[in-house]
Amino acid sequence: MTNTMYFLFLCAFLSAVTAYWHPDLPPGPYCGIDNKCCKDREDGCSHRIIDTLCYCDEFCDRYHDDCCPDYQKVCRHEDVQPLPFLNPCIHGGKFYLEGETRRVDCNTCKCVRVSDTTLSWSCENDPCIMDSDVIFGVNRGSSWRAYNYTQFQGRKLKDGLVFKLGTLPLSRETRLMGPIRHDKDINYPTHFDARERWPNYISPVVDQEWCGSDWAISIATVASDRFAIQSNGAESMVLSPQSLVSCNRNQQRGCHGGHIDVAWNFVRGKGIVDEECFPYKAADTKCPFRSKGNLIEAGCRIPVKQRTSKYKVAPPGRLSNERDIMYDIMDSGPVQAVMTVYQDFFHYRDGVYRRSPYGNQHMKGLHSVRIVGWGEERGEKYWIVANSWGCNWGENGYFRILRGANEADIESFVVTVLCDVTRAYQKK
Ligand SMILES: *[C@@H]1O[C@H](CO)[C@@H](O)[C@H](O)[C@H]1NC(C)=O
């Protein structure tokens, strides 16, 4: 390395740590030897320090320090108090100043001052959503496969449990929701898929993005599907989850979660509009609707045969066993289910999900989804369920989960509803 290169390196190195770095050079006259200070770099104003040349010139003038420790004093006639030597933060061969940060996966490390002379890294240590133990553990052999999803990279598990889910704990009132018993002794098909049974009536998978609105999405999509099915296609549209997120504010927390019984009551009492007239925004926006006039001006669809201007449902009911859930889906459309989500579920790619022993076993959240059917694979019974994490997640936005074993609590709180459609639509 030539002296010039070394000198440039030294200057660059010093400038990287400007305000605090005080090179540990022996004090003494450098610029002061012959009191020569230059505007530009000239060899005449260089001095040998340790192993390199130092220039007493403006090019190398730094805030507190220069290559030449006496530059300020000799060339600028300033008396600078030397700052104490400060140990910088170091990572990957780079120096960081107080307040600077770097990312380690989903966590942030900040360079903080721990004493008068020492800076040190202070790092968050939260579990991230994506975890290599889950990916390797699950893929070593189970009924489903795990995948490292881009959409979850660099995200904390605690944020995923709030903003990728969104169902608030079921209250005592919620649990009292009227039970519905079908008790039908019929032969159920091995395979049933609402998308095949009613190809034009089943609403597409939504991407809730980073908004805890699963409660609104599962209700809006279950209601959409059921309106279309129960009206024989007369009311075939997609209902707007945003009208719940934005307009059902009482007792609800928008993108920070919602109670499903409160939301169903809102759809029953106040009603919601269609997706085209109030598209999904993944944010807590203001509710734009006040009166019927507004709705039509806003280009909203008005129910064909309803007395009201918005889409309303009858009181929801609770299904409490596998056969009743199956009967209900076959008879009147997809149902809503509340499941418990642990870290491994975020990794689901395909197959029949069952909870694995990998990943964080303590952090969990409630998630509302839409069951659209069932099937069997290699003797294993499963539900077919629509998630709300976009079409690139799972099996085109859907997942399959073990059926008949209350896997991840998926059979513990299943909600069905009849849509407020008049006799005019009833099946012949
Ligand atoms: C996921 O992929 C990203 C990008 O390739 C990588 O940086 C990250 O370490 C991976 N995460 C896991 C848990 O494998």
Side-chain angles (χ1 to χ4, degrees):
M1 200 189 272
T2 66
N3 281 344
T4 317
M5 279 170 70
Y6 194 79
F7 157 82
L8 286 172
F9 171 75
L10 184 62
C11 281
F13 166 73
L14 288 171
S15 72
V17 287
T18 35
Y20 302 114
W21 184 267
H22 193 86
D24 211 5
L25 293 173
Y30 296 94
C31 301
I33 289 174
D34 32 46
N35 203 13
K36 190 153 195 293
C37 303
C38 306
K39 282 250 174 259
D40 292 309
R41 207 165 45 178
E42 290 166 28
D43 280 349
C45 55
S46 67
H47 301 274
R48 181 158 291 280
I49 299 178
I50 307 177
D51 199 21
T52 187
L53 281 181
C54 167
Y55 289 77
C56 292
D57 60 26
E58 283 174 1
F59 178 76
C60 220
D61 182 16
R62 301 289 179 250
Y63 176 58
H64 273 300
D65 309 295
D66 194 7
C67 309
C68 299
D70 60 348
Y71 175 83
Q72 257 97 355
K73 196 170 173 201
V74 175
C75 302
R76 287 185 164 181
H77 311 292
E78 287 167 3
D79 227 345
V80 214
Q81 292 295 321
L83 286 170
F85 182 87
L86 201 64
N87 294 300
C89 295
I90 301 175
H91 178 76
K94 277 175 68 186
F95 293 87
Y96 294 78
L97 298 181
E98 190 172 0
E100 287 193 302
T101 58
R102 66 185 169 88
R103 297 276 289 177
V104 184
D105 199 347
C106 66
N107 290 301
T108 300
C109 290
K110 192 171 181 185
C111 181
V112 296
R113 188 186 280 255
V114 290
S115 76
D116 279 353
T117 55
T118 311
L119 295 175
S120 170
W121 289 116
S122 161
C123 294
E124 299 169 331
N125 192 21
D126 291 316
C128 305
I129 298 182
M130 288 291 112
D131 186 292
S132 49
D133 287 352
V134 174
I135 296 172
F136 290 122
V138 168
N139 290 344
R140 222 182 290 128
S142 54
S143 54
W144 59 284
R145 288 193 299 169
Y147 186 68
N148 178 1
Y149 283 103
T150 321
Q151 66 162 321
F152 299 136
Q153 282 164 17
R155 299 284 192 158
K156 290 181 198 290
L157 179 55
K158 63 177 182 189
D159 293 334
L161 293 175
V162 174
F163 298 112
K164 297 310 288 185
L165 312 181
T167 302
L168 297 176
L170 305 178
S171 63
R172 221 177 63 84
E173 295 96 298
T174 314
R175 293 188 178 283
L176 290 176
M177 189 181 281
I180 292 190
R181 286 266 145 78
H182 294 302
D183 288 327
K184 293 280 196 250
D185 195 15
I186 58 167
N187 277 331
Y188 290 92
T190 337
H191 178 92
F192 181 87
D193 190 335
R195 293 169 295 179
E196 292 160 12
R197 172 69 180 78
W198 301 286
N200 302 315
Y201 299 167
I202 305 302
S203 45
V205 163
V206 179
D207 186 352
Q208 67 186 83
E209 298 173 45
W210 290 88
C211 168
S213 58
D214 67 0
W215 56 281
I217 292 169
S218 56
I219 286 178
T221 52
V222 164
S224 307
D225 297 355
R226 292 183 153 250
F227 260 109
I229 293 164
Q230 292 166 23
S231 69
N232 280 328
E235 296 291 5
S236 176
M237 38 71 221
V238 177
L239 290 170
S240 155
Q242 191 65 46
S243 61
L244 279 167
V245 174
S246 294
C247 305
N248 181 204
R249 303 299 301 181
N250 194 11
Q251 300 179 64
Q252 304 287 55
R253 299 196 210 138
C255 283
H256 282 80
H259 295 282
I260 56 170
D261 60 326
V262 175
W264 276 118
N265 269 338
F266 184 86
V267 184
R268 179 163 75 102
K270 298 258 185 347
I272 55 175
V273 298
D274 65 298
E275 171 72 14
E276 258 176 68
C277 110
F278 194 17
Y280 186 61
K281 308 240 174 35
D284 292 319
T285 56
K286 212 167 143 264
C287 180
F289 305 113
R290 289 279 168 273
S291 69
K292 186 170 175 170
N294 270 348
L295 284 183
I296 294 167
E297 278 165 33
C300 295
R301 210 187 129 110
I302 304 294
V304 184
K305 294 263 167 81
Q306 253 182 292
R307 286 148 300 172
T308 55
S309 57
K310 289 184 187 154
Y311 286 88
K312 293 184 177 181
V313 295
R318 188 177 164 188
L319 299 161
S320 42
N321 65 61
E322 183 190 349
R323 301 212 132 213
D324 280 351
I325 298 169
M326 289 162 74
Y327 180 82
D328 205 89
I329 296 173
M330 226 164 62
D331 181 61
S332 55
V335 295
Q336 181 191 38
V338 176
M339 66 185 283
T340 305
V341 164
Y342 285 86
Q343 184 176 27
D344 64 351
F345 183 74
F346 288 94
H347 301 75
Y348 174 89
R349 180 189 201 153
D350 55 18
V352 177
Y353 175 81
R354 43 151 56 94
R355 202 179 143 203
S356 79
Y358 307 106
N360 192 303
Q361 301 292 316
H362 307 289
M363 296 168 73
K364 57 181 178 180
L366 287 182
H367 192 31
S368 297
V369 291
R370 173 174 48 135
I371 306 184
V372 302
W374 63 85
E376 247 180 81
E377 184 182 84
R378 288 191 281 268
E380 213 165 47
K381 298 191 297 175
Y382 58 79
W383 297 111
I384 306 168
V385 191
N387 198 356
S388 44
W389 296 345
C391 294
N392 293 326
W393 183 89
E395 299 178 334
N396 299 315
Y398 286 77
F399 63 98
R400 287 177 294 147
I401 183 171
L402 202 62
R403 167 167 57 103
N406 196 23
E407 182 61 46
D409 304 323
I410 191 126
E411 284 142 26
S412 67
F413 206 86
V414 177
V415 179
T416 178
V417 78
L418 287 177
C419 293
D420 191 7
V421 285
T422 64
R423 273 165 200 283
Y425 304 135
Q426 293 299 307
K427 281 180 254 181
K428 303 271 166 2

